[in-house]
């Protein structure tokens, strides 16, 4: 690290659990963020401000004025721009150091099979069940830790699925692909603006802990938040040995 970096990241370096070594790990790390909307906005911004050296953002959508209520990486000036490119600009406005790659494509199996093995950690910030399963399957296949968040209305959930250890469940253990929930979208159901900020920021926190070597305490746990009451439910979750995604590991 040079003197400018030592100054910029000094508040991280002062933390015993991070220090110079942990901050250097962030500078050398590569995070893959799938989705640059409500969850991806705070997640990507905090990864960038924290100094993650490489960030890949994947989102096929464009910024709409209705997004601005909660998707804080975007601005009125960037309405109609691709969300991945807008979020990359948001990161650069705060910290120009990270090498940010914006991919304006849908995250399908072929793209994920290329991108996931290049990353040190994957953040699922998407809003639909099929894509979450594609991301999970790629993380299981390539042995990458997955930080998964979801938010709708006043309810949200967060977990880390770490397929590097056989004892931990994957996303499909909890939410089988053959049992899809009724599709609910923010455009129909609505979403409380700060809720995606809470969960997206926590996704960034878990990713940073994994990248610095601190590790995450969330594998095997599912956190659920009722923002009306600000009540957290902490569920212990187990790996399903019959899971078609990770059961044959």
């Amino acid at each position: 690290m040079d003197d400018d970096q030592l100054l910029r990241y000094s508040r991280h370096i002062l933390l015993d659990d991070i220090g110079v070594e942990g901050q250097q790990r962030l500078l050398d790390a590569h995070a893959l963020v799938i989705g640059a909307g409500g969850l991806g906005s705070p997640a990507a911004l905090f990864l960038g401000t924290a100094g993650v050296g490489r960030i890949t953002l994947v989102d096929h959508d464009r910024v709409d004025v209705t997004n601005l209520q909660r998707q804080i990486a975007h601005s009125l000036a960037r309405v109609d721009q691709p969300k991945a490119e807008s979020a990359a600009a948001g990161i650069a406005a705060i910290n120009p150091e990270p090498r940010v790659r914006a991919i304006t494509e849908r995250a399908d199996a072929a793209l994920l099979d290329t991108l996931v093995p290049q990353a040190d950690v994957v953040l699922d910030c998407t809003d639909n069940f099929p894509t979450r399963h594609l991301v999970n399957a790629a993380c299981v296949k390539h042995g990458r830790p997955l930080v998964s968040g979801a938010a709708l209305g006043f309810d949200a959930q967060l977990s880390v699925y770490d397929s590097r250890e056989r004892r931990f469940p994957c996303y499909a253990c909890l939410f089988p692909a053959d049992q899809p929930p009724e599709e609910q979208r923010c455009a129909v159901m609505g979403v409380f603006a700060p809720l995606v900020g809470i969960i997206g920021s926590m996704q960034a926190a878990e990713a940073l802990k994994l990248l610095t070597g601190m590790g995450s305490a969330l594998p095997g746990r599912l956190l659920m938040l009722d923002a009306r009451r600000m009540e957290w439910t902490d569920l212990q979750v187990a790996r399903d040995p019959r899971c078609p995604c990770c059961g044959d590991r």
Side-chain angles (χ1 to χ4, degrees):
M1 277 182 281
D2 58 29
D3 289 344
D4 289 340
Q5 290 173 319
L6 288 170
L7 178 61
R8 176 182 283 272
Y9 306 119
S10 60
R11 300 310 189 263
H12 261 179
I13 293 169
L14 288 170
L15 297 172
D16 291 339
D17 289 324
I18 298 180
V20 172
E21 182 178 343
Q23 186 60 50
Q24 187 61 56
R25 288 177 179 171
L26 293 180
L27 294 171
D28 295 338
H30 181 189
L32 171 62
V33 182
I34 311 297
L39 298 172
S41 286
L45 290 177
F46 272 117
L47 293 176
T49 62
V52 174
R54 294 175 59 198
I55 302 172
T56 299
L57 305 175
V58 181
D59 198 308
H60 69 285
D61 202 3
R62 290 179 174 270
V63 179
D64 185 85
V65 69
T66 62
N67 302 147
L68 302 181
Q69 165 249 13
R70 64 199 179 281
Q71 300 184 15
I72 60 172
H74 312 306
S75 69
L76 191 59
R78 296 199 292 271
V79 168
D80 292 331
Q81 290 186 13
K83 285 185 180 179
E85 294 179 3
S86 174
I91 294 172
I94 305 173
N95 187 0
E97 288 191 354
R99 290 173 290 163
V100 183
R101 180 186 179 190
I103 298 179
T104 57
E105 301 176 29
R106 187 180 294 275
D108 60 16
L111 181 62
L112 291 168
D113 205 36
T114 298
L115 296 178
V116 168
Q118 300 175 20
D120 298 304
V121 67
V122 179
L123 289 80
D124 181 356
C125 301
T126 63
D127 64 356
N128 68 89
F129 196 65
T131 303
R132 288 173 185 154
H133 274 283
L134 291 176
V135 174
N136 176 71
C139 288
V140 171
K141 177 180 178 181
H142 297 289
R144 295 297 186 268
L146 170 62
V147 184
S148 177
L152 187 68
F154 288 89
D155 300 306
Q157 64 186 39
L158 174 74
S159 191
V160 172
Y161 303 101
D162 196 343
S163 59
R164 295 174 299 179
E165 293 196 39
R166 183 178 176 85
R167 61 192 175 98
F168 292 134
C170 75
Y171 180 83
C173 291
L174 279 67
F175 306 101
D178 61 355
Q179 300 175 29
E182 181 180 352
E183 193 68 32
Q184 296 177 322
R185 311 264 319 208
C186 294
V188 177
M189 302 297 295
V191 61
F192 186 47
L195 183 61
V196 292
I198 294 169
I199 300 302
S201 298
M202 292 180 71
Q203 287 185 261
E206 294 306 306
L208 293 173
K209 285 157 60 179
L210 288 164
L211 293 174
T212 57
M214 293 172 59
S216 171
L218 285 186
R221 296 165 60 196
L222 178 66
L223 298 184
M224 304 180 70
L225 172 62
D226 177 349
R228 296 178 188 84
R229 300 175 177 82
M230 285 309 294
E231 292 181 352
W232 287 95
T233 301
D234 187 346
L235 301 178
Q236 299 295 314
V237 292
R239 177 174 171 268
D240 181 356
R242 299 167 298 176
C243 173
C245 186
C246 72
D248 57 352
R249 285 185 291 162

